[in-house]
Amino acid sequence: DAGITQSPRYKITETGRQVTLMCHQTWSHSYMFWYRQDLGHGLRLIYYSAAADITDKGEVPDGYVVSRSKTENFPLTLESATRSQTSVYFCASSESTAQETQYFGPGTRLLVL
Amino acid sequence: GDSVTQMEGPVTLSEEAFLTINCTYTATGYPSLFWYVQYPGEGLQLLLKATKADDKGSNKGFEATYRKETTSFHLEKGSVQVSDSAVYFCALSFRPRNQFYFGTGTSLTVIP
């Protein structure tokens, strides 16, 4: 009964490094999402996926890459991390369309030095 | 474009006080509306939702009514408890663009 998990929970990296944040869900939900949470902005959608091998951009996709080779996993990669990508990242999933309730992971706190 | 505006925080209330957190939205159509709650150190979890005009969502003593005429979805609770201290997010989703839009969040602290 793990639900949706994220790893790592905390990460410190340096500018220019590649970082991958992992997200795994055990419900076989079709939709998965990546958000970033910043003070004064609330949550902003980075990317989402409607099914395996189907991904699409959200509001703030620049500097991020996603993939979804398996339904249960949805990793987010920062190809060359920048200080502006310091944030808390949340993964979420929903059973069918995006109008359904989203279930959130516990978040990954990323600091880019 | 679609967006959500919610009242600025932080909000501090005494236990058993009445709570209102305002939320208004802009959308070209008829979105579904949500309130999510985030407790310290955790992810967001759904508090309540409404999918069409005049629907009332309710959960754990919280209520919100989908008002199309005023494009609002205000969150209310008649008597708050210390355990309600959290950050509350209003959100909307709109078929078929498969996008969620969140407000900036309102921090609530309830003091005994």
Side-chain angles (χ1 to χ4, degrees):
Chain A
D1 191 42
I4 183 163
T5 57
Q6 294 183 235
S7 62
R9 294 293 312 278
Y10 304 91
K11 177 73 176 178
I12 300 174
T13 191
E14 294 178 338
T15 302
R17 290 191 181 267
Q18 183 180 79
V19 177
T20 296
L21 309 183
M22 304 301 293
C23 178
H24 176 78
Q25 51 106 355
T26 60
W27 297 304
S28 299
H29 283 172
S30 295
Y31 279 81
M32 295 188 75
F33 308 83
W34 274 107
Y35 294 90
R36 58 178 291 173
Q37 183 180 27
D38 304 290
L39 201 61
H41 289 281
L43 272 76
R44 291 180 291 177
L45 183 66
I46 304 171
Y47 270 96
Y48 70 96
S49 168
D53 297 322
I54 300 175
T55 62
D56 207 348
K57 296 178 180 179
E59 184 183 355
V60 289
D62 293 343
Y64 302 95
V65 174
V66 294
S67 62
R68 192 151 177 225
S69 56
K70 294 183 178 180
T71 299
E72 61 267 29
N73 296 323
F74 191 40
L76 175 74
T77 297
L78 289 65
E79 292 191 301
S80 178
T82 64
R83 290 201 179 102
S84 64
Q85 292 177 309
T86 292
S87 186
V88 181
Y89 291 86
F90 287 100
C91 179
S93 70
S94 67
E95 191 168 359
S96 53
T97 70
Q99 280 195 312
E100 298 296 324
T101 300
Q102 294 193 4
Y103 298 88
F104 284 79
T108 295
R109 190 174 293 271
L110 176 68
L111 174 62
V112 183
L113 299 175
Chain B
D2 301 339
S3 66
V4 175
T5 302
Q6 62 182 105
M7 66 184 283
E8 299 271 337
V11 174
T12 302
L13 295 173
S14 297
E15 206 165 22
E16 299 183 2
F18 184 85
L19 168 71
T20 299
I21 301 178
N22 290 337
C23 172
T24 58
Y25 68 89
T26 302
T28 51
Y30 304 103
S32 291
L33 301 174
F34 304 79
W35 276 102
Y36 280 82
V37 59
Q38 183 180 30
Y39 298 103
E42 298 183 9
L44 279 71
Q45 53 186 276
L46 180 70
L47 181 59
L48 52 85
K49 70 178 182 181
T51 57
K52 61 182 188 295
D54 299 325
D55 269 3
K56 178 187 283 189
S58 61
N59 186 25
K60 299 180 182 179
F62 291 90
E63 293 183 340
T65 301
Y66 188 163
R67 302 283 189 201
K68 187 163 72 78
E69 64 277 11
T70 55
T71 62
S72 65
F73 193 54
H74 304 321
L75 181 68
E76 296 182 336
K77 186 174 185 182
S79 176
V80 293
Q81 305 300 312
V82 172
S83 58
D84 294 328
S85 297
V87 181
Y88 293 82
F89 291 90
C90 186
L92 69 83
S93 74
F94 183 61
R95 195 191 295 267
R97 289 198 294 275
N98 294 325
Q99 299 254 4
F100 255 70
Y101 298 92
F102 284 84
T104 53
T106 301
S107 175
L108 170 66
T109 301
V110 180
I111 55 177

